[in-house]
Amino acid sequence: MILRPPQASLASGTLWSLYSYGVLICIRCHDYRRQDLVLGAILYALVPCHLFVAYIIEYSAARSAQGVVGMRKKNETGTMTPEDETNAWAHDPTWRNIALAHGINASFCLLVTSFVVYSYIHHPLIGTICQVHAIIVWLKNCSYAFTNRDLRHAMLHPASPVTLPLLYSTCPYPKNITLGNLSYFWWAPTLVYQPVYPRSTDIRWGFIAKRLAEVAGLSVFIWLASAQYAAPVLRNSLNKMASLDIASIIERLMKLSTISLIIWLAGFFAIFQSALNALAEVMKFGDREFYTDWWNSPSVGTYWRTWNKPVTHFMRRHIYSPLVGRGWNSDLASAMVFVFSGLLHEVLVGIPTHNIIGVAFLGMVLQIPLIKGTLPLERMQGTNGKVIGNCIFWISFCLVGQPLAALLYFFAWQAKYGSHEEKEQEEEEPASMKRAKWKSIQQRLA
């Protein structure tokens, strides 16, 4: 048995793909319509307008809050008791109307985009870009509303035991309600609103150029790998899916797991290491921990807490912590986070592919038992438990999660827009000649 280095194995797979399918790269072969580009551009331009609607709503709320504070200062008969103030806050229709306006504005942003993408944008990549942008703006809208609600509550209730971070004192509410402050949050690489962020002093343009070059190079690599390797594997899986050939489906999943992992890692590096750091440098954004060493995760839960820090901060700040603060059990609050995340994943994947089949939602919800199952391994003394937990994470990540979801959504797309009975590619030359050629290729790589 001859052992080959990983580079040889990768080259071997690449040559086999070229030999089996030929060169599948085609710059002009794009399955998109002019309407997709026009509507995508319109959505991308209009979605951020909802942030400025949120600014108008919050500006009105700040004026109302200043009026309440001014009336209290002029009150010569004394101040209300804390209980009366709390009741007044809970039943004052002004604050309920403000919350309702924020909710309608944020929801309208996501609903309109989802409707247009599902109904009128055929190309899944263009639809995905629109959905990602809309979800990011929706999350920023929600965080802007929630955080300013808390700041407004702290201003109206100075005797409240809730303490604000010292950093916020440099820009107290309502001085933070400005277009400049909101515009910075719009472009900052974070989903959690703060009146003030840690800032760097200079912009390193050479650093930005390197990061942008990485994004460009990795984007080309992802396109080449998807077209040359992933697409043929997916197409050749359709007839096996249609006939429920379990053994062949598992074999296709094993094939797909390799290229899907490579593409995912390239995309992860392009976004979290290159693009977000370039954007942070332009914005002089100081907090640049966008991820930690998730690849060493001793449990599935650790992976979800470390691979995407901006989303983790949002979930903890605006979903998990408020639920726990209201008396929810921590496990139940965590489950609610994954249910919410599952809904977002289904919106992100199901709507651009025009197939809301629940696979993305179910994939996120099924993480809950995996997290509970691997948590004892993380807490075990020594390294054995952590190694086992890390192995479980990688198996679920590589073999079950992404390739299976890609296969199911691709099958659903073909069932809706094309024939799922994929024709087998029959070579004109005999099988013995094919094996001989492939053996010669392997000998050159040895």
Side-chain angles (χ1 to χ4, degrees):
M1 181 178 179
I2 301 175
L3 296 178
R4 298 181 178 86
Q7 294 86 348
S9 299
L10 182 60
S12 175
T14 303
L15 288 176
W16 175 248
S17 174
L18 291 171
Y19 175 70
S20 300
Y21 309 116
V23 178
L24 302 178
I25 308 302
C26 179
I27 297 178
R28 297 182 179 181
C29 301
H30 300 294
D31 184 24
Y32 64 80
R33 306 163 183 174
R34 184 174 182 274
Q35 174 179 285
D36 296 344
L37 295 176
V38 173
L39 290 177
I42 292 174
L43 286 176
Y44 207 86
L46 292 181
V47 162
C49 295
H50 292 273
L51 278 172
F52 296 96
V53 174
Y55 162 75
I56 295 172
I57 296 170
E58 196 55 44
Y59 181 80
S60 301
R63 294 293 298 268
S64 299
Q66 286 177 314
V68 172
V69 172
M71 289 177 60
R72 287 180 183 172
K73 290 181 179 179
K74 294 179 180 179
N75 187 0
E76 299 177 352
T77 61
T79 59
M80 295 183 291
T81 64
E83 291 78 12
D84 293 336
E85 290 184 351
T86 301
N87 292 332
W89 172 270
H91 296 94
D92 191 332
T94 300
W95 315 127
R96 289 200 302 270
N97 293 337
I98 292 296
L100 180 63
H102 274 304
I104 292 174
N105 174 56
S107 300
F108 192 70
C109 162
L110 187 57
L111 288 174
V112 169
T113 302
S114 300
F115 173 77
V116 173
V117 169
Y118 189 85
S119 303
Y120 300 105
I121 296 181
H122 176 75
H123 197 278
L125 178 59
I126 297 175
T128 299
I129 293 173
C130 293
Q131 283 296 109
V132 169
H133 185 224
I135 289 174
I136 290 174
V137 172
W138 182 72
L139 294 175
K140 284 178 177 279
N141 254 323
C142 293
S143 184
Y144 186 76
F146 289 149
T147 302
N148 279 307
R149 177 202 61 188
D150 296 339
L151 295 174
R152 190 166 61 246
H153 184 277
M155 185 186 77
L156 293 171
H157 302 79
S160 173
V162 178
T163 58
L164 298 176
L166 184 62
L167 183 66
Y168 290 11
S169 61
T170 59
C171 187
Y173 187 89
K175 291 183 179 180
N176 63 305
I177 309 301
T178 63
L179 282 175
N181 185 277
L182 176 63
S183 298
Y184 183 85
F185 174 57
W186 173 21
W187 285 99
T190 180
L191 299 175
V192 176
Y193 173 74
Q194 294 180 190
V196 186
Y197 295 97
R199 302 284 293 273
S200 58
T201 55
D202 300 318
I203 298 178
R204 298 170 295 172
W205 294 106
F207 176 87
I208 295 172
K210 291 178 182 178
R211 300 291 82 78
L212 293 180
E214 291 170 356
V215 172
L218 287 169
S219 299
V220 173
F221 169 79
I222 291 171
W223 170 56
L224 295 176
S226 300
Q228 183 63 45
Y229 196 91
V233 174
L234 287 170
R235 284 195 295 268
N236 290 340
S237 305
L238 295 177
N239 62 326
K240 308 301 180 183
M241 292 284 292
S243 60
L244 292 180
D245 186 346
I246 303 300
S248 297
I249 292 173
I250 294 175
E251 184 263 340
R252 296 297 195 276
L253 282 175
M254 297 287 287
K255 275 187 175 181
L256 192 59
S257 65
T258 303
I259 191 61
S260 67
L261 176 62
I262 293 173
I263 291 173
W264 189 92
L265 290 175
F268 171 83
F269 193 94
I271 294 173
F272 288 90
Q273 176 62 27
S274 302
L276 290 183
N277 271 293
L279 181 59
E281 188 70 24
V282 171
M283 302 301 295
K284 298 183 179 180
F285 190 77
D287 185 5
R288 304 188 184 185
E289 190 182 51
F290 304 118
Y291 65 93
T292 54
D293 57 338
W294 56 265
W295 47 90
N296 293 324
S297 299
S299 67
V300 176
T302 302
Y303 162 74
W304 286 110
R305 292 191 298 269
T306 55
W307 88 274
N308 188 341
K309 284 299 187 105
V311 171
T312 298
H313 292 330
F314 180 92
M315 297 295 183
R316 181 177 294 275
R317 172 75 176 272
H318 297 303
I319 299 178
Y320 179 82
S321 295
L323 291 177
V324 171
R326 286 172 171 80
W328 284 47
N329 179 274
S330 60
D331 291 338
L332 190 57
S334 297
M336 187 56 63
V337 167
F338 276 90
V339 170
F340 176 75
S341 181
L343 292 172
L344 287 184
H345 276 77
E346 190 63 37
V347 168
L348 178 60
V349 180
I351 289 179
T353 58
H354 308 278
N355 285 286
I356 305 176
I357 57 179
V359 172
F361 174 77
L362 188 61
M364 290 302 300
V365 172
L366 289 179
Q367 299 300 310
I368 299 173
L370 276 176
I371 292 172
K372 292 293 291 183
T374 55
L375 183 59
L377 298 173
E378 181 182 1
R379 294 175 176 175
M380 286 177 59
Q381 296 294 330
T383 60
N384 290 336
K386 294 178 175 59
V387 170
I388 296 173
N390 186 254
C391 291
I392 294 174
F393 152 67
W394 277 109
I395 291 172
S396 65
F397 182 77
C398 296
L399 300 181
V400 181
Q402 297 180 42
L404 181 59
L407 195 60
L408 290 173
Y409 278 103
F410 186 78
F411 180 78
W413 171 275
Q414 291 295 322
K416 189 172 184 178
Y417 294 105
S419 174
H420 62 267
E421 297 178 358
E422 180 74 5
K423 296 181 179 179
E424 295 285 349
Q425 293 187 352
E426 298 180 356
E427 303 292 340
E428 295 180 358
E429 58 189 357
S432 58
M433 187 179 297
K434 181 192 295 186
R435 285 194 296 268
K437 286 185 177 181
W438 178 236
K439 187 175 180 179
S440 66
I441 292 174
Q442 288 182 312
Q443 289 175 350
R444 294 174 188 174
L445 292 172

